[in-house]
Amino acid sequence: MGTVLMISGKYHKLEINMTFELPKLPYSHDGLAPYISSQTVRHHYGTHTKKYYDTVNDLVVGTIYKKEKTLDDLLTSTSLSIDSKLYKQACQSWNHTFFWEGLCPENDFTPPTDDLEKAIDNSFDSFETFKQEFSKVANELFGSGWVWLVLHNGKLEIASTYNHSRPNSKDTTPLLCLDVWEHAYYLDYPADRKEFVKQWWNIVDWTIVQSRFSKANA
Ligand SMILES: [Fe+2]
């Protein structure tokens, strides 16, 4: 994409290379400790998540997808059947970004309040019941995947997806996700996914979930 800038009275053509940029974390690498270590953040965010973005940027070179400005635009333009490799990498980029954005340091943690708290109570009876049901799905998901809190037709539901997949229907809005790929917890909890899931609740950013919920209901 090219644009023209006037610098010092002269016009210059500035070539802007559109890329899908890995968002910076809203906390330091050790900000999620002790529940997720800085080593895991460096590995999971700095290596795995970055690699998904880098691969997407490599794959769109010379294609019609180069013009897309956001991952959402890209995921709307392509599909698993059209371009399987690009779609999977773009989904993984999107899922991971959503995952990292939904976390916060323990000191910033506040439980759900207001209309989100009421919606959780209405859908699951209580926050504790919701946590138990969500954790059960996360612990029992076989292999690699994701667990989601979604708003579906006005009701909160728990969903799970395998590998790269994400909830992807017009009447479903993701509000929160948990990555249960082994790379998300293996350095901190080796083979103990159950303990990882249990500790993850301490760093869920419910203010972000609330903002996603409010936006979905707007
Ligand atoms: Fe991951």
Side-chain angles (χ1 to χ4, degrees):
M1 175 180 291
T3 190
V4 177
L5 294 180
M6 188 173 74
I7 304 172
S8 302
K10 295 181 179 179
Y11 289 94
H12 299 264
K13 186 174 183 184
L14 177 67
E15 289 296 331
I16 298 174
N17 293 314
M18 294 296 294
T19 57
F20 300 97
E21 190 173 349
L22 172 64
K24 287 188 167 40
L25 293 176
Y27 36 77
S28 63
H29 282 175
D30 60 359
L32 303 177
Y35 308 107
I36 297 178
S37 69
S38 60
Q39 185 186 15
T40 289
V41 173
R42 290 179 198 284
H43 181 69
H44 190 188
Y45 168 80
T47 301
H48 284 282
T49 308
K50 182 177 183 300
K51 179 67 175 174
Y52 293 125
Y53 272 82
D54 288 348
T55 304
V56 167
N57 284 315
D58 287 344
L59 290 173
V60 299
V61 171
T63 73
I64 59 170
Y65 305 115
K66 183 70 178 170
K67 65 178 173 45
E68 305 298 353
K69 292 186 173 66
T70 69
L71 285 174
D72 280 312
D73 294 339
L74 176 60
L75 287 166
T76 301
S77 297
T78 189
S79 68
L80 193 61
S81 59
I82 293 173
D83 191 329
S84 168
K85 187 173 182 181
L86 175 60
Y87 186 77
K88 289 176 181 175
Q89 295 290 330
C91 275
Q92 281 292 73
S93 300
W94 192 97
N95 289 1
H96 279 86
T97 301
F98 198 79
F99 169 72
W100 293 116
E101 285 177 352
L103 301 177
C104 67
E106 180 185 22
N107 288 343
D108 295 336
F109 176 89
T110 55
T113 57
D114 302 328
D115 55 341
L116 178 59
E117 181 184 24
K118 288 177 186 169
I120 290 173
D121 288 346
N122 288 338
S123 299
F124 304 101
D125 290 334
S126 71
F127 184 49
E128 284 308 310
T129 303
F130 158 67
K131 286 172 62 177
Q132 288 172 12
E133 292 182 10
F134 189 103
S135 297
K136 186 172 188 294
V137 173
N139 293 333
E140 294 181 355
L141 188 147
F142 184 78
S144 300
W146 302 84
V147 186
W148 307 81
L149 173 66
V150 300
L151 185 63
H152 177 66
N153 288 334
K155 191 167 187 280
L156 294 180
E157 296 179 358
I158 297 165
S160 62
T161 57
Y162 283 107
N163 298 322
H164 65 280
S165 301
R166 60 180 189 145
N168 190 26
S169 65
K170 287 181 179 176
D171 56 5
T172 301
T173 304
L175 302 176
L176 172 70
C177 77
L178 171 59
D179 183 346
V180 292
W181 282 57
E182 281 190 349
H183 66 222
Y185 59 88
Y186 212 81
L187 292 176
D188 297 332
Y189 301 92
D192 195 350
R193 182 194 289 179
K194 190 173 182 181
E195 186 63 18
F196 166 61
V197 172
K198 178 182 174 183
Q199 300 302 336
W200 169 77
W201 291 107
N202 291 298
I203 48 173
V204 172
D205 190 341
W206 288 103
T207 60
I208 292 291
V209 181
Q210 172 70 63
S211 68
R212 292 167 177 168
F213 180 67
S214 299
K215 186 177 176 184
N217 283 318

